[in-house]
């Protein structure tokens, strides 16, 4: 129990000090005062003796100066105002309106948290948390109603200018995700991310953001979690049958190309004038072998390459291109299934070069861990599941949260970061999301335990293992529209009361905890002693 000793000292110190004050303020006899002064003195002596002489003072768990703490949101999840002032229709507007049964509580983001109308209020909430970074996304159809750059919606530019200016006024660094799943429907009708032209559309859209916001925004992320939106049907890729081993790979291919192209444009045309850094946000649930068997170990490593390496290897590895294991497995399976060429598209040599190294940092979304087991090979259908060929298991012993996919496994965070360090030569990492869901309610001690546990694991990874992590962003600032789970899963440090006309935001206990971490850079010695 590394940090107990200073805590015990503090307790002795505090008790003695309080007792002393209690006595003096009641004007009690001098002898009593002396007695308490004695206790006070003995307490100090105890601390010096036990802690210093016996070398038992552990350094408190603190992040060094300059380490960033932040919070994150995304446009469709918080903004509302889905059809005001020239905004176009996104795929989430269409899905939630036309097929509400696909959303757990049949809800939508029409109003969401009303953040479109609450710029000042939301920035004040961020400010009160004491964090220095706010990651948010721009709604593509709010800027370009049908996704194409010939028609700019000036109100979209005005709105994000307002957000950025208010953040800067409050000394909060804005960090923009260019694409966080709310694709303009018009582009989906053209095939969405399975359409190779999407890379050009993304370049033109990004250019407008750099032109308008680049003078003040210095942290950019092209895509949020391509694994999620290329694999899950309805999310953002195309009308993608879940787990398709054809459309998912096409989507991924165009997304990676688009990322590289946006980065190179930024690097060549904008960075020399306006500075700034650009990365991509990739999700990574740690994949731990189910057993010590060589098969399970190989299965876990294969899964890591298929799920994280798919997007990271072309950008962050020394060789570039898809992970070799992914290339060989999909090529082989495609051949066996009778395809004339691989279902996994190929980059040209020029593209490999253009994409390799196209990031200044890696944005990491990490929430949880899975156990991975080898399963008998099944090559009957061209699915990505059959290509990976593993079973993913959630250990029943791991504490659960409000989301079935998310259990609390802090040690997986450290393993994730160490794997990245090894695989990609210790890249600069910004943790762009980490968090857990609960139901509604302000008492969220479980969330505090979650954040505290994950931050300790992160601290070990940084200061004991040397992983190059520059900041941590909690997901999310406040409750919001959790995609197909609607408003049923709450990730917020602030609770949003969806019944109140004002969509009142109220800090949860975890907001107080996180404020103290962000303001001091240190984790409390013990959660039991926290005064919330
Ligand atoms: C991933 C996504 O980026 C975000 O939109 C989502 O709400 C959280 N994780 C929680 O599931």
């Amino acid at each position: 129990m590394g940090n107990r000793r200073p805590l015990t000292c503090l307790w002795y110190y505090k008790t003695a000090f309080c007792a002393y004050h209690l006595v003096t303020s009641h004007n009690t006899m001098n002898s009593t005062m002396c007695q308490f002064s004695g206790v006070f003195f003995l307490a100090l002596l105890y601390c010096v003796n036990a802690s210093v002489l016996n070398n038992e003072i552990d350094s408190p768990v603190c992040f060094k100066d300059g380490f960033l703490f932040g919070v994150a949101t995304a446009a469709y999840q918080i903004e509302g105002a889905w059809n005001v002032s020239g905004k176009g229709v996104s795929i989430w507007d269409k899905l939630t309106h036309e097929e509400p049964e696909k959303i757990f509580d049949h809800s939508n983001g029409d109003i969401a948290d009303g953040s479109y109308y609450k710029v000042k209020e939301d920035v004040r909430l961020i400010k009160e948390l004491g964090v220095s970074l706010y990651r948010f996304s721009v709604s593509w159809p709010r800027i370009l109603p049908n996704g194409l750059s010939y028609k700019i919606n000036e109100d979209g530019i005005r709105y994000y200018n307002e957000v950025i200016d208010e953040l800067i006024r409050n000394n909060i660094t804005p960090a923009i995700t260019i694409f966080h799943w709310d694709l303009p429907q018009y582009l989906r009708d053209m095939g969405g991310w399975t359409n190779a032209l999407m890379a050009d559309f993304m370049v033109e859209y990004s250019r407008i953001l750099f032109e308008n916001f680049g003078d003040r925004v210095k942290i950019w992320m092209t895509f949020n979690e391509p694994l999620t939106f290329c694999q899950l049907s309805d999310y953002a890729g195309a009308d993608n049958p879940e787990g398709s081993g054809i459309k998912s790979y096409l989507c991924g291919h165009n997304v990676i190309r688009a990322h590289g192209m946006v980065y190179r444009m930024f690097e060549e045309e904008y960075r020399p004038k306006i500075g700034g850094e650009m990365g991509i946000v990739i999700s990574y649930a740690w994949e731990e072998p189910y057993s010590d068997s060589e098969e399970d170990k190989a299965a876990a490593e294969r899964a890591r390459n298929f799920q994280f390496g798919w997007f990271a290897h072309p950008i962050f590895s020394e060789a570039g291109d898809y992970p070799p294991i992914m290339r060989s497995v999909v090529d082989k399976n495609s051949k066996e299934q009778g395809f004339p060429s691989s279902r996994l598209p190929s980059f040209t040599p020029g593209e490999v070069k253009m994409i390799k190294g196209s990031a200044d940092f890696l944005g990491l979304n990490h929430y949880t861990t899975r156990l991975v087991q080898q399963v008998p090979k099944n090559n009957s259908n061209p699915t990505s599941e059959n290509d990976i060929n593993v079973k993913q298991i959630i250990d029943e012993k791991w504490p659960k949260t409000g989301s079935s996919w998310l259990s609390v496994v802090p040690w997986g965070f450290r393993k994730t970061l160490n794997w990245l360090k090894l695989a990609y030569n210790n890249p600069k990492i910004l943790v762009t999301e980490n968090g857990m869901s609960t139901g509604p309610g302000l008492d969220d001690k479980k969330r505090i335990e979650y954040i505290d546990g994950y931050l300790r694991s992160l601290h070990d990874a940084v200061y004991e293992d040397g992983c190059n992590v520059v900041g941590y962003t909690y997901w999310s600032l406040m409750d919001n529209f959790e995609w197909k789970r609607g408003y049923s899963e709450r990730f917020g440090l602030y609770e949003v009361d969806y019944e109140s006309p004002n969509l009142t935001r109220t800090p949860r206990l975890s907001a107080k905890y996180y404020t103290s971490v962000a303001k001091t850079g240190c984790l409390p010695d013990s959660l039991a002693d926290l005064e919330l």
Side-chain angles (χ1 to χ4, degrees):
M1 294 305 290
N3 298 299
R4 289 276 175 234
R5 182 68 69 198
L7 201 77
T8 320
C9 285
L10 263 180
W11 186 83
Y12 276 103
Y13 178 92
K14 197 176 97 184
T15 314
F17 193 73
C18 290
Y20 175 79
H21 269 280
L22 201 72
V23 169
T24 48
S25 64
H26 284 86
N27 220 358
T28 322
M29 283 156 44
N30 272 351
S31 62
T32 324
M33 278 168 60
C34 280
Q35 219 180 317
F36 278 106
S37 308
V39 175
F40 178 74
F41 182 71
L42 280 176
L44 275 183
L45 212 64
Y46 169 83
C47 291
V48 170
N49 182 33
S51 302
V52 179
L53 296 184
N54 296 334
N55 201 17
E56 283 179 345
I57 283 190
D58 298 319
S59 43
V61 179
C62 291
F63 291 82
K64 295 206 174 120
D65 282 356
F67 187 91
L68 299 166
F69 285 98
V71 284
T73 60
Y76 185 74
Q77 296 179 271
I78 63 161
E79 284 178 7
W82 76 280
N83 61 352
V84 308
S85 306
K87 177 182 167 291
V89 176
S90 82
I91 60 171
W92 281 90
D93 296 322
K94 182 164 188 298
L95 177 78
T96 54
H97 295 161
E98 293 181 8
E99 299 174 273
E101 67 286 354
K102 285 195 171 170
I103 311 299
F104 178 73
D105 54 8
H106 293 202
S107 63
N108 55 50
D110 288 4
I111 298 172
D113 294 355
S115 290
Y116 176 82
Y117 300 105
K118 290 176 177 286
V119 174
K120 279 200 161 36
E121 183 179 344
D122 286 350
V123 173
R124 187 173 48 77
L125 301 183
I126 303 167
K127 177 87 181 162
E128 279 170 12
L129 286 175
V131 298
S132 56
L133 179 114
Y134 179 48
R135 171 181 176 236
F136 62 101
S137 77
V138 171
S139 158
W140 191 335
R142 198 179 291 289
I143 299 285
L144 303 176
N146 62 11
L148 302 173
S149 58
Y150 71 97
K151 191 171 148 210
I152 299 177
N153 176 29
E154 287 307 326
D155 179 68
I157 305 286
R158 176 209 55 80
Y159 169 64
Y160 293 108
N161 268 333
E162 201 180 316
V163 175
I164 293 163
D165 288 344
E166 188 63 15
L167 287 167
I168 290 175
R169 239 193 312 278
N170 284 281
N171 286 325
I172 299 160
T173 304
I176 286 189
T177 315
I178 299 176
F179 180 72
H180 198 127
W181 304 357
D182 45 354
L183 188 70
Q185 180 60 38
Y186 191 80
L187 299 184
R188 172 78 161 248
D189 294 338
M190 293 165 75
W193 287 104
T194 57
N195 177 353
L197 285 176
M198 278 296 298
D200 300 306
F201 302 152
M202 174 81 178
V203 168
E204 289 317 308
Y205 160 50
S206 305
R207 179 191 295 284
I208 290 163
L209 304 193
F210 301 150
E211 292 279 349
N212 284 281
F213 311 133
D215 55 335
R216 286 150 296 151
V217 176
K218 303 299 165 198
I219 304 181
W220 295 92
M221 290 144 285
T222 50
F223 289 97
N224 179 68
E225 294 198 0
L227 177 74
T228 313
F229 73 78
C230 283
Q231 263 192 339
L232 298 184
S233 74
D234 295 317
Y235 269 72
D239 295 312
N240 198 12
E242 207 111 344
S244 148
I246 300 171
K247 286 187 174 180
S248 304
Y249 294 145
L250 263 183
C251 168
H253 197 70
N254 293 325
V255 164
I256 297 165
R257 284 178 50 249
H259 165 82
M261 288 161 64
V262 171
Y263 182 85
R264 295 303 170 205
M265 169 186 60
F266 178 73
E267 187 184 39
E268 281 150 32
E269 296 179 40
Y270 292 95
R271 187 151 48 201
K273 289 185 283 187
I274 57 177
E277 297 196 356
M278 175 172 289
I280 179 170
V281 175
I282 312 181
S283 54
Y284 198 0
W286 175 245
E287 294 172 300
E288 179 75 3
Y290 179 75
S291 76
D292 274 347
S293 73
E294 290 310 313
E295 289 76 25
D296 286 352
K297 283 189 201 160
E301 189 58 14
R302 191 168 59 249
R304 291 169 201 147
N305 273 291
F306 263 88
Q307 306 210 296
F308 192 84
W310 177 7
F311 297 98
H313 200 277
I315 301 169
F316 295 95
S317 74
E318 220 160 287
D321 213 336
Y322 289 114
I325 179 119
M326 188 173 182
R327 178 83 273 160
S328 63
V329 168
V330 185
D331 287 2
K332 185 164 173 286
N333 287 355
S334 307
K335 202 167 181 188
E336 284 172 16
Q337 287 157 345
F339 286 88
S341 58
S342 179
R343 288 180 277 107
L344 182 67
S346 292
F347 296 116
T348 64
E351 284 173 336
V352 171
K353 200 160 156 240
M354 180 267 291
I355 294 162
K356 195 170 58 167
S358 62
D360 305 308
F361 66 91
L362 166 56
L364 173 68
N365 287 0
H366 174 83
Y367 287 86
T368 192
T369 287
R370 309 263 156 73
L371 298 175
V372 176
Q373 195 177 31
Q374 171 75 28
V375 291
K377 190 168 163 61
N378 168 4
N379 205 14
S380 52
N381 290 311
T383 63
S384 47
E385 274 87 344
N386 285 347
D387 291 335
I388 307 177
N389 194 38
V390 299
K391 184 172 165 199
Q392 304 240 10
I393 299 156
I394 294 177
D395 191 328
E396 277 305 308
K397 294 193 288 299
W398 292 337
K400 297 180 178 28
T401 67
S403 306
S404 58
W405 56 272
L406 204 175
S407 29
V408 186
V409 196
W411 52 261
F413 200 8
R414 186 174 182 181
K415 289 207 172 192
T416 301
L417 292 164
N418 275 281
W419 188 88
L420 295 175
K421 177 182 169 205
L422 212 66
Y424 306 119
N425 193 23
N426 206 10
K428 176 163 148 183
I429 293 176
L430 174 65
V431 177
T432 36
E433 286 183 32
N434 172 252
M436 67 160 260
S437 61
T438 57
L442 297 178
D443 183 346
D444 61 344
K445 297 209 180 68
K446 276 181 105 179
R447 178 173 284 109
I448 296 177
E449 280 167 23
Y450 175 97
I451 305 176
D452 196 75
Y454 275 75
L455 282 176
R456 278 172 206 279
S457 189
L458 171 62
H459 189 272
D460 287 344
V462 176
Y463 299 110
E464 288 188 23
D465 310 334
C467 299
N468 185 11
V469 183
V470 296
Y472 170 92
T473 317
Y474 179 79
W475 180 275
S476 177
L477 165 65
M478 57 193 163
D479 294 341
N480 54 52
F481 179 79
E482 176 57 12
W483 308 109
K484 285 197 170 173
R485 302 301 298 169
Y487 298 97
S488 67
E489 296 176 14
R490 311 290 190 96
F491 281 82
L493 295 172
Y494 288 87
E495 177 174 68
V496 177
D497 178 2
Y498 292 102
E499 303 298 316
S500 75
N502 286 338
L503 298 162
T504 309
R505 287 93 154 112
T506 312
R508 293 200 163 100
L509 292 183
S510 58
K512 297 183 187 154
Y513 162 86
Y514 195 53
T515 305
S516 119
V517 173
K519 286 190 172 162
T520 62
C522 297
L523 306 183
D525 279 355
S526 144
L527 292 184
D529 297 329
L530 268 185
E531 279 171 25
L532 295 169

